[in-house]
């Protein structure tokens, strides 16, 4: 049938293609115009010496080849120095992977919770979205307040009252602890995204499968691993990938929580520092290109290893 | 159907473009006959903006062809906004900024030195106090980089009532401060002796530390231009400063924490500029008084003022000079604007916004300034004198006479990259560095900065 | 008789199984963890300064102080913030963004889902690649680029809400396109084919057949893009200089950085900014799940 359709409908196919392109063009224009061009420009800047003095005349900036990249790799904030000082590159990778894993896990649990109907399910579903939809600025200020290092900070007050800690802690200002906090806060904020993705897939799983399994005598855990997990493989993989990308590039969150201090300096924050504190835009651009390359490497590895196994549905 | 969708898309684009070009009530490139002057000010509290705008309106009455726009910006946002403005080739005409930025911006070539010089001449070079003029002189060209505007002194404010109760001497020297640190927590309502600047993301620690370093004669460069961040004097200064954390508020702190804990009666000392003086009075004693709520009765009367710190190797006062910079490419009318804002009563109107925090740079304004605030009476006349003559006594790493453009630019970079703040945080909060290792690290980093600036 | 005379404990022990117990505990954990910060935000907006900065945290304010809200809205307050202006600006940016994004995404998604043309899969998957580039990387080059164009075409880039809308579109269109394409693919196209054979043009088909069947997904996409534009910080921060043009997040940041700290005002402004979005999601929640669920039906 398709063959005959092919020969009969040929003229329409070209028309169809043209229509399709006209429908897609505005979107493509906006997205690629406002993203790809600046990105390419950014790569260009990374190979030149651009500072405040020539920022308005960038095209005449001196070409410095890999100087910027060299100075980034040698910078004290970038490279791994010791177990006390991981450097921005390692910190970013650790942060991105941990936060994404945790938020996907939480999203899975939340989705499982909300899957079966119960009283108040609708309201619960909506409440679970709050952390994701609230403005980052507000969320950051509230959490900074709650995590205040003084004994009058909320978390300190609670934990001290429960006798779980001896002295008040500086949650966002202790090396190691602050990275953990930022990861937890990231999971708190973004788990609803994973939850939505997983939930929509869960709702489509045939309940007959569970019935059959129950008849066969499977307990809930067995049901989960034999039925639920396989059905979710693809969406888990895709969600993880998407969130990994977004978390890797995150700037606002960490900047508002810690400003990049105490072991939470990730590559985006370092880019900001080079560009706006040192006015060395070449180095800032180089840092962001390095960030991009690391991400691309992970992406390629991930897609070819993990996604291929899971398979397209 | 193709035409329809194409048409729809075109309409959309047309709509977008039309709205973009339409005069909204946003500031835009207006009629040709108007000269637009953009004045960026870091005086961004509401009352202050209103004062600026009132003056702007008065200026526009005298000069109807000028559209003078006051744009308030946050101090922390200057770096970003200047960068984006420069990238778009849309620098403002006038900007109010601190003197350390004057050095680095003029090294970057975005300040118009000729315009600055002309304006200073127009106002009257002799009317300026000599200190401020020296601070804005570019050592390389000998010209003025910006027009001094106002400024403040930093001091160690302390609760004189608590000090009396604890039988402590005023915290003027390192020994006194250490004694206070050990004795104060627990006296009365005091929990912490002070709030130390330790936030690695703020420049407040750098500003406070500089005074400590200066009081010990610790400088970043010596006469020959070598980097001297790892001298014993610098190490001692780092040691003294970070040891104070033992009696200070936990966690990374900057001026906000210092001020809050002092006003709420939790701490007995704070390093703060004279800006605080008006606020200490305004909110004093009332529940919802003004914008500040103070928890301590009669705070100004009970606040001692110690601007001069005595260290083992010297003594120093730290302060800030705020200047108005005219940027490259600004309309010549900008010079008129600056002159207008510093003229007679206009200048006093600006100073009146925070008389203690805005010390006049013009000799002719000092007498009028003394009358500006009824709050002056709450403080001793000694204090007032110290404040008024602050420019003559204040010291900064930047102002050492034998430092050239390179040194000054690097000092600007040290502050810009917050190296000192990070070092202090590492020592005092994290314990990952000692004063010795921190000094070595600073030495290394500053040498790198010198290399970069030399290229 | 025994059946009808069970007391509370009896009922409870009947109802309580391990499953339900775990469920309740985990649910409680989630709900508390989610709601507490929001409770803190709202309650703090009603606190006095002393309650905020005291030695112990105050969990329940003694009374509802409206001082913070007055500062935001009352022109007679000494440091009146004119927050209403900022609310308006945010609306002016979010509504057009979501409407335009929905329209463009519908058109594009229909094309990719239904029409045959070369490069469509590349387009669909490739468009998500734009998320590889973080805002921090793009913002300066974008600003510089747009300023050059603006100079030539005669429009200002700074303080221009339309330009901001365009940047938001570039951030939201990829996901919008992806979501809608997946959804359209789940709609059986027999009805559309029938309509086409009946003589409808493609656009009429979209309007009469596809859209009514996709209301949940469209609403989802609309809400989602609205939220992104509503909350966006970085671009607004860079592109907007004039206080009068600030969107809410920027204004909140400004109030936070004000030399005289007023945390209750920050919380009040945050509350005002958060509530509409939350209400929006609460009200349209069922569309959200329906919209995403159907995308899951086929895979």
């Amino acid at each position: 049938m398709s063959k005959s359709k092919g020969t009969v409908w040929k003229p329409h196919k070209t028309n169809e293609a043209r229509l399709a392109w006209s429908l897609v063009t505005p979107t493509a224009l906006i997205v690629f115009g406002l993203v790809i061009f600046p990105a390419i420009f950014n790569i260009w800047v990374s190979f030149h010496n651009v500072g405040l003095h020539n920022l308005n005349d960038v095209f005449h900036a001196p070409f410095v080849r890999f100087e910027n990249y060299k100075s980034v790799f040698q910078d004290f904030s970038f490279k791994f120095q010791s177990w006390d000082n991981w450097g921005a590159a390692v910190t970013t990778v650790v942060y991105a992977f941990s936060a994404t894993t945790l938020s996907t896990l939480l999203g899975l649990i939340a989705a499982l919770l909300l899957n079966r109907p119960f009283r108040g399910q609708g309201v619960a579903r909506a409440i679970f979205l709050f952390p994701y939809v609230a403005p980052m600025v507000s969320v950051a200020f509230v959490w900074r307040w709650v995590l205040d290092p003084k004994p009058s900070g909320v978390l300190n007050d609670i934990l001290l009252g429960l006798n779980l800690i001896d002295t008040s802690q500086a949650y966002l200002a202790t090396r190691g602890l602050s990275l953990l906090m930022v990861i937890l806060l990231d999971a708190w904020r973004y788990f609803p995204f994973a939850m939505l993705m997983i939930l929509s897939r869960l709702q489509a799983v045939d309940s007959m499968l569970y019935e059959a399994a129950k008849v066969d005598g499977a307990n809930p855990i067995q049901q989960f691993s034999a039925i639920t997990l396989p059905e979710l493989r693809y969406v888990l993989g895709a969600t993880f990938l998407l969130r990994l990308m977004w978390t890797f590039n995150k700037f606002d969150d960490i900047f508002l929580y810690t400003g990049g201090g105490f072991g939470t300096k990730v590559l985006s924050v370092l880019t900001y520092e080079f560009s706006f504190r040192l006015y060395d835009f070449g180095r800032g651009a180089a840092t962001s290109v390095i960030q991009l390359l690391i991400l691309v490497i992970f992406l390629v590895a991930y897609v070819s290893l993990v996604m291929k196994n899971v398979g397209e549905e | 159907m193709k035409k329809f969708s194409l048409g729809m898309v075109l309409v959309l684009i047309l709509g977008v473009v039309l709205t973009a070009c339409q005069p909204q009530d946003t500031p835009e490139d207006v009629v040709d006959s108007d000269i637009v002057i953009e004045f960026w000010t870091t005086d961004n509290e509401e009352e202050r903006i209103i004062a600026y705008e009132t003056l702007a309106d008065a200026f526009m009455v005298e000069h109807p062809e000028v559209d003078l726009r006051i744009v308030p910006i946050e101090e922390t946002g200057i770096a970003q906004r200047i960068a984006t403005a420069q990238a778009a080739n849309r620098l403002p005409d006038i900007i109010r900024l601190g003197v350390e930025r004057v050095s680095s911006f003029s090294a970057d070539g975005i300040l118009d030195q000729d315009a600055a010089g002309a304006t200073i001449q127009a106002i009257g070079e002799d009317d300026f106090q000599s200190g401020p003029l020296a601070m804005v002189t570019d050592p390389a060209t000998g010209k003025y980089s910006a027009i001094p505007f106002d400024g403040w002194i930093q001091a160690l404010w302390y609760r004189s009532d608590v000090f009396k109760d604890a039988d402590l001497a005023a915290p003027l020297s390192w020994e006194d401060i250490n004694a206070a640190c050990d004795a104060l927590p627990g006296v009365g309502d005091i929990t912490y002796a002070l709030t130390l600047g330790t936030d690695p993301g703020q420049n407040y620690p750098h500003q406070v530390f500089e005074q400590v370093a200066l009081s010990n004669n610790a400088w970043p460069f010596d006469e020959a231009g070598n980097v001297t961040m790892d001298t014993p004097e610098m190490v001692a200064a780092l040691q003294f400063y970070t040891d104070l954390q033992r009696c200070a508020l936990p966690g990374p702190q900057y001026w906000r924490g210092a001020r809050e804990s002092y006003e709420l009666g939790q701490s007995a000392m704070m390093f703060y500029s004279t800006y605080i003086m008006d606020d200490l009075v305004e909110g004093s004693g009332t529940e919802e008084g003004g914008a500040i709520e103070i928890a301590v009765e009669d705070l100004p009367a009970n606040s001692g003022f110690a601007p001069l710190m005595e260290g083992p190797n010297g003594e120093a006062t730290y302060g800030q000079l705020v200047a108005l910079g005219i940027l490259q490419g600004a309309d010549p009318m900008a010079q008129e604007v600056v002159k207008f804002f510093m003229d007679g009563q206009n200048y006093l109107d600006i100073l009146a916004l925070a008389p203690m925090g805005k010390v006049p740079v013009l000799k002719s304004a000092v007498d009028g300034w003394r009358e500006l605030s009824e709050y002056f009476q709450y403080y001793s006349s000694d204090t007032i004198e110290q404040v008024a003559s602050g420019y003559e006594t204040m010291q900064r790493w930047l102002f050492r006479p034998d430092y050239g453009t390179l040194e000054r630019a690097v000092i600007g970079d040290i502050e810009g990259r917050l190296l000192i703040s990070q070092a202090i945080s590492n020592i005092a909060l994290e314990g990952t560095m000692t004063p010795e290792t921190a000094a070595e690290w600073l030495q290394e980093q500053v040498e790198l900065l010198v290399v970069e600036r030399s290229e | 008789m025994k059946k009808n005379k069970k007391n509370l404990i009896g009922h409870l022990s009947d109802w309580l199984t391990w499953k339900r117990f775990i469920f309740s505990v985990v649910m409680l954990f989630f709900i508390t963890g989610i709601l507490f910060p929001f409770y803190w935000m709202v309650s703090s907006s009603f606190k006095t300064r002393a309650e905020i900065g005291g030695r112990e945290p105050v969990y329940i304010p003694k009374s509802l102080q409206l001082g913070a809200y007055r500062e935001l809205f009352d022109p007679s307050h000494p440091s009146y913030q004119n927050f209403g202006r900022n609310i308006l600006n945010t609306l002016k940016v979010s509504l057009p963004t979501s409407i335009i994004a929905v329209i463009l995404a519908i058109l594009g998604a229909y094309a990719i889902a239904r029409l045959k043309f070369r490069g469509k899969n590349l387009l669909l998957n490739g468009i998500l690649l734009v998320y590889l580039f973080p805002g921090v990387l793009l913002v300066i080059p974008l600003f510089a680029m747009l300023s050059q164009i603006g100079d030539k075409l005669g429009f200002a880039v700074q303080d221009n809400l339309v330009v901001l809308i365009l940047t938001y579109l570039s951030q939201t269109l990829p996901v919008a396109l992806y979501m809608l394409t997946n959804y359209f693919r789940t709609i059986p196209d027999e009805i559309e084919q029938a309509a086409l054979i009946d003589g409808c043009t493609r656009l009429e088909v979209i309007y009469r057949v596809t859209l009514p069947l996709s209301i949940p997904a469209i609403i989802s996409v609309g809400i989602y893009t609205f939220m992104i534009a509503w909350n966006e910080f970085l671009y607004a921060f860079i592109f907007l200089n004039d206080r009068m043009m600030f969107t809410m997040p920027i204004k909140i940041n400004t109030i936070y950085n004000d030399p005289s700290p007023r945390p209750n005002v920050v919380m009040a402004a945050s509350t005002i900014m958060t509530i509409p979005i939350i209400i929006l999601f609460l009200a349209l929640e069922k569309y959200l799940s329906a919209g995403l669920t159907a995308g899951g039906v086929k895979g």
Side-chain angles (χ1 to χ4, degrees):
Chain A
M1 190 168 86
S2 45
K3 255 203 176 148
S4 58
K5 255 198 178 159
T7 22
V8 172
W9 292 97
K10 216 176 186 171
H12 284 256
K13 240 193 190 165
T14 345
N15 277 349
E16 195 175 298
R18 259 193 257 151
L19 169 67
W21 277 111
S22 70
L23 290 177
V24 160
T25 302
T27 303
L29 264 180
I30 293 179
V31 173
F32 292 117
L34 292 182
V35 175
I36 301 296
F37 275 125
I40 296 178
F41 188 32
N42 188 66
I43 298 179
W44 184 90
V45 169
S46 73
F47 290 109
H48 293 76
N49 183 5
V50 179
L52 192 61
H53 54 281
N54 62 355
L55 194 55
N56 57 349
D57 189 22
V58 182
F59 290 108
H60 293 117
F63 178 65
V64 291
R65 267 205 239 137
F66 287 105
E67 284 303 310
N68 286 325
Y69 288 91
K70 258 195 257 168
S71 75
V72 171
F73 277 113
Q74 290 168 351
D75 190 272
F76 71 91
S77 286
F78 177 85
K79 56 183 184 185
F80 181 86
Q81 292 182 15
S82 64
W83 284 112
D84 274 334
N85 193 351
W86 288 359
V90 174
T91 308
T92 312
V93 171
V94 169
Y95 165 70
F97 268 92
S98 317
T100 308
T101 309
L102 192 56
S103 76
T104 308
L105 200 62
L106 275 179
L108 179 61
I109 299 176
L112 288 173
L113 268 183
L114 295 180
N115 195 17
R116 301 287 167 70
F118 60 91
R119 222 178 322 158
Q121 182 187 32
V123 175
R125 265 215 284 241
I127 290 183
F128 273 52
L129 291 178
F130 284 8
Y132 188 54
V133 308
M136 188 62 225
V137 216
S138 320
V139 162
F141 293 148
V142 172
W143 277 115
R144 281 180 68 164
W145 195 347
V146 167
L147 296 174
D148 195 278
K150 296 202 287 289
S152 57
V154 175
L155 189 60
N156 276 326
D157 189 59
I158 296 178
L159 291 182
L160 281 171
L162 292 177
N163 278 323
L164 287 173
I165 55 175
D166 280 326
T167 55
S168 60
Q169 304 288 324
Y171 298 98
L172 290 172
T174 311
R175 200 164 283 260
L177 184 58
S178 56
L179 186 60
L180 182 64
M181 288 312 301
V182 169
I183 292 173
L184 288 174
L185 289 170
D186 190 272
W188 178 87
R189 177 160 172 80
Y190 294 106
F191 86 86
F193 177 81
M195 180 192 80
L196 281 177
M197 302 265 115
I198 297 173
L199 190 60
S200 65
R201 183 72 189 84
L202 267 183
Q203 306 251 287
V205 173
D206 198 347
S207 52
M208 297 297 255
L209 291 170
Y210 291 108
E211 297 294 329
K214 259 193 238 168
V215 165
D216 278 351
N219 62 32
I221 299 182
Q222 286 170 326
Q223 287 175 34
F224 179 74
S225 54
I227 302 172
T228 322
L229 265 188
E231 296 272 338
L232 288 179
R233 269 223 221 113
Y234 181 72
V235 84
L236 280 175
T239 308
F240 186 85
L241 187 64
L242 211 53
R243 279 253 45 98
L244 184 70
M245 233 160 60
W246 279 334
T247 310
F248 202 83
N249 288 336
K250 267 246 154 287
F251 173 76
D252 299 12
D253 302 41
I254 295 201
F255 191 69
L256 287 172
Y257 285 130
T258 59
F262 304 103
T264 60
K265 190 162 295 182
V266 291
L267 288 171
S268 343
V269 174
L270 191 59
T271 303
Y272 178 85
E273 208 179 274
F274 284 139
S275 304
F276 293 105
R277 294 232 182 98
L278 271 188
Y279 283 140
D280 190 340
F281 296 96
R283 246 200 283 184
T287 312
S288 59
V289 171
I290 294 174
Q291 184 179 347
L292 179 65
L293 285 174
I294 299 180
L295 186 58
V296 166
I297 295 175
F298 272 119
L299 228 80
V300 167
Y302 187 84
V303 169
S304 52
L305 289 175
V306 178
M307 296 303 276
K308 280 254 171 68
N309 280 342
V310 169
E312 288 269 6
E313 288 187 38
Chain B
M1 67 190 167
K2 276 181 296 176
K3 288 186 204 155
F4 183 13
S5 70
L6 268 177
M8 224 161 81
V9 165
L10 277 175
V11 166
L12 267 177
I13 298 183
L14 196 64
V16 166
V17 170
L18 276 179
T19 17
C21 299
Q22 219 178 63
Q24 307 159 316
D25 37 352
T26 68
E28 245 190 46
D29 291 341
V30 282
V31 191
D32 286 320
S33 58
D34 264 1
I35 306 174
V36 177
I37 306 270
E38 242 183 65
F39 185 157
W40 286 13
T41 173
T42 45
D43 265 337
N44 56 353
E45 289 99 327
E46 289 298 317
E47 313 90 58
R48 300 189 192 185
I49 300 301
I50 293 173
Y52 273 72
E53 282 175 348
T54 315
L55 280 181
D57 287 337
F59 182 83
M60 288 193 272
V61 163
E62 275 180 41
H63 299 264
E65 75 281 11
V66 175
D67 182 11
L68 177 55
R69 292 187 202 145
I70 308 289
V71 180
I73 50 177
E74 332 76 68
E75 177 75 43
T76 43
I78 291 187
Q80 205 161 319
R81 294 200 189 274
I82 285 286
T84 45
Q86 170 75 320
N89 227 339
R90 276 167 177 275
L91 287 173
D93 298 277
I94 308 171
I95 181 170
R96 178 181 183 273
L97 73 181
V99 73
E100 63 282 342
R101 286 199 207 268
V102 170
S103 307
S104 53
F105 282 173
S106 95
D108 281 322
I110 60 174
L111 291 179
D112 186 342
Q113 292 182 342
D114 295 320
T119 316
I120 291 179
Q121 296 302 334
I123 298 175
E125 203 172 346
D126 297 327
D127 197 11
F128 280 89
Q129 296 195 38
S130 52
L133 282 182
M135 293 182 213
V136 296
T137 308
D138 181 350
T141 61
K143 297 192 203 169
Y144 299 125
S145 303
I147 304 107
F149 193 50
D150 60 52
W152 43 262
I153 309 186
Q154 180 172 284
L156 183 56
W157 297 89
Y158 62 97
R159 291 279 301 278
S160 40
D161 54 339
V162 174
F163 269 66
K164 207 160 60 136
D165 289 341
D167 227 358
L168 288 166
L172 297 173
S173 68
W174 284 22
E175 292 82 38
D176 298 327
I177 298 176
N178 267 324
C181 182
D182 290 319
L184 282 175
V187 175
D189 262 345
I190 303 294
T191 325
Y192 306 102
L194 83 166
T195 303
L196 203 60
T198 46
D199 191 328
Q202 295 279 339
N203 68 345
Y204 174 78
H206 177 113
Q207 290 175 323
V208 180
F209 177 75
E210 224 182 275
Q211 182 177 21
V212 171
L214 286 167
S215 70
N216 200 26
N217 205 21
W219 298 84
F221 297 96
D222 63 13
E223 311 79 41
N226 300 316
V227 180
T228 51
M229 296 300 286
D230 56 0
T231 55
E233 288 85 11
M234 190 68 78
V235 174
L238 284 169
Q239 182 83 56
F240 168 70
Y241 186 92
T242 51
D243 276 350
L244 290 174
Q245 183 63 24
R246 68 186 186 274
C247 56
L249 229 76
Q253 302 293 336
Y254 59 112
W255 53 260
R256 171 169 277 128
R259 172 178 171 151
E260 271 179 3
S261 60
Y262 189 81
E263 286 172 8
L264 293 170
Q266 293 178 339
S267 69
M269 294 192 279
M270 69 170 171
F271 286 98
Y272 213 89
S273 73
T274 45
Y275 253 112
I276 194 103
M277 290 165 90
D278 314 318
D279 298 332
L280 286 180
V281 179
E282 265 169 18
S284 189
T286 55
E287 250 285 86
E288 257 211 316
I292 322 288
E293 288 174 38
I294 313 272
V296 179
E297 285 288 325
D298 214 8
L299 197 52
N302 286 321
S303 291
F305 178 79
L308 188 69
M309 184 183 288
E310 293 159 13
N313 279 320
E315 51 184 35
T317 305
Y318 182 93
Q320 172 68 306
L321 176 70
V322 172
L324 292 180
I326 299 185
L327 290 107
Q328 288 287 356
D331 190 285
M333 189 55 80
Q335 300 173 31
E336 289 301 312
V337 174
V338 174
K339 182 155 163 266
F340 185 81
F341 270 71
M342 295 191 72
D343 187 45
Q345 186 58 42
N346 294 340
Y347 189 49
L348 288 175
D349 287 343
I350 297 280
L351 296 179
L353 295 173
M356 303 301 215
K358 286 178 180 296
V359 181
V361 297
L362 295 178
K363 298 178 197 157
S364 57
V366 177
D367 288 325
W369 173 75
R370 280 188 225 272
E371 310 299 315
L372 276 180
S373 174
E374 72 223 22
Y375 300 141
F376 277 98
Q377 63 179 324
Y378 290 97
Y379 297 91
S380 71
S381 53
D382 270 346
T383 307
I384 307 293
E385 274 319 304
Q386 277 177 315
V387 173
S389 55
Y391 295 120
E392 309 309 317
T393 54
M394 78 168 70
Q395 279 181 291
R396 293 278 295 268
W397 279 347
L398 272 178
F399 302 146
R400 195 162 128 165
D402 56 340
Y403 281 171
T405 325
L406 176 65
E407 281 90 357
R408 291 196 189 191
V410 171
I411 292 174
D413 288 340
I414 296 177
E415 200 172 327
R417 189 110 197 249
L418 301 176
L419 291 179
I420 301 275
S421 307
Q422 288 183 54
I424 289 174
S425 158
N426 283 338
I427 306 172
L429 297 181
E430 301 199 48
T432 52
M433 281 186 181
T434 64
E436 290 80 10
T437 57
E440 271 166 38
W441 177 77
L442 285 170
Q443 174 79 13
E444 205 182 281
Q445 295 304 316
V446 176
E447 279 169 353
L448 275 174
L449 286 175
V450 170
V451 168
E452 271 159 37
R453 275 284 178 184
S454 315
E455 281 164 5
Chain C
M1 257 192 331
K2 260 196 183 167
K3 269 193 213 166
N4 298 335
K5 287 284 178 189
K6 274 197 182 151
N7 55 15
L8 183 62
I9 307 290
H11 278 290
L12 201 62
S13 55
D14 270 353
W15 177 84
L16 198 64
T17 62
W18 267 117
K19 221 183 188 179
R20 288 215 174 99
F21 179 70
I22 296 180
F23 178 87
S24 312
V25 166
V26 179
M27 182 63 89
L28 193 65
F29 166 75
F30 268 91
I31 298 274
T32 330
I34 291 173
L35 287 183
F36 180 73
F38 292 96
Y39 168 73
W40 187 259
M41 179 172 76
V42 177
S43 66
S44 300
S45 68
F46 294 116
K47 289 182 188 160
T48 63
R49 178 100 198 287
E51 284 177 319
I52 292 174
R55 275 159 219 283
E56 283 156 8
V58 172
Y59 291 98
I60 304 177
K62 235 180 277 179
S63 64
L64 294 178
Q65 301 281 336
L66 292 179
Y69 291 95
R70 263 197 311 128
E71 184 172 330
L72 292 176
F73 293 112
D74 186 356
S76 58
H77 193 282
S79 38
Y80 169 55
Q81 298 287 347
N82 198 0
F83 200 59
R85 189 66 202 248
N86 304 111
I87 301 179
L88 206 64
N89 288 331
T90 301
L91 277 172
K92 273 200 240 176
V93 163
S94 319
L95 278 173
T97 302
S98 82
I99 294 175
I100 299 177
V102 164
I103 296 176
L104 290 183
I106 290 176
L107 296 177
Y110 187 83
I112 299 181
R114 295 285 186 246
L115 304 176
K116 293 190 187 45
F117 61 100
R118 234 186 296 163
K120 72 168 171 175
N121 274 322
L122 185 65
L123 185 65
L124 184 63
N125 293 316
I127 209 168
L128 287 180
L129 287 181
V130 300
Y131 289 125
L132 280 176
F133 303 101
V136 185
L137 182 155
L138 296 174
V139 87
I140 287 270
L142 185 61
F143 189 78
M145 219 176 71
L146 287 176
S147 308
Q148 305 279 345
I149 300 178
D151 268 342
K152 298 217 170 57
L153 292 184
F155 63 88
V157 170
Q158 223 154 27
D159 293 318
N160 188 337
L161 293 181
V162 176
V163 168
L164 209 55
I165 292 176
L166 279 176
T167 63
Y168 291 171
L169 284 174
S170 74
Q171 290 177 35
T172 53
L173 277 172
V175 172
L177 193 66
Y178 198 78
M179 273 164 67
L180 275 179
T181 308
N182 275 338
Y183 192 84
F184 283 174
R185 280 183 173 158
T186 71
I187 300 180
D189 64 353
E190 283 86 38
I191 313 179
E192 294 178 16
Q193 292 291 348
L196 277 172
I197 294 173
D198 273 354
C200 285
T201 65
R202 280 287 183 183
L203 280 158
E204 283 176 339
V205 169
I206 297 181
Y207 182 66
R208 294 210 193 156
V209 179
T210 327
L211 286 195
L213 290 176
S214 336
I215 299 275
I218 292 175
I219 294 188
S220 306
V221 169
I223 309 177
Y224 181 75
T225 50
F226 182 82
M227 170 193 100
I228 301 269
W230 182 270
N231 288 345
E232 204 281 332
F233 183 79
L234 182 64
Y235 283 81
F237 186 54
I238 300 281
F239 281 58
L240 300 176
N241 250 354
D242 185 355
R243 283 172 314 153
M244 285 292 157
M245 301 308 295
F246 279 175
T247 53
M248 285 195 282
I250 315 299
K251 187 67 189 214
I252 294 179
N253 191 50
T254 309
I255 303 179
Y256 181 78
N257 282 318
D258 189 297
S260 40
R262 295 195 293 288
N264 51 343
V265 181
V266 174
M267 290 296 128
S270 300
T271 307
I272 295 178
M273 188 178 167
T274 311
I275 299 264
I277 285 286
I278 296 221
I279 293 182
L280 194 65
F281 271 82
L282 271 171
L284 298 174
E285 176 274 326
K286 58 179 196 283
Y287 288 109
L288 209 65
S289 28
L292 289 165
T293 299
V297 165
K298 265 217 182 142

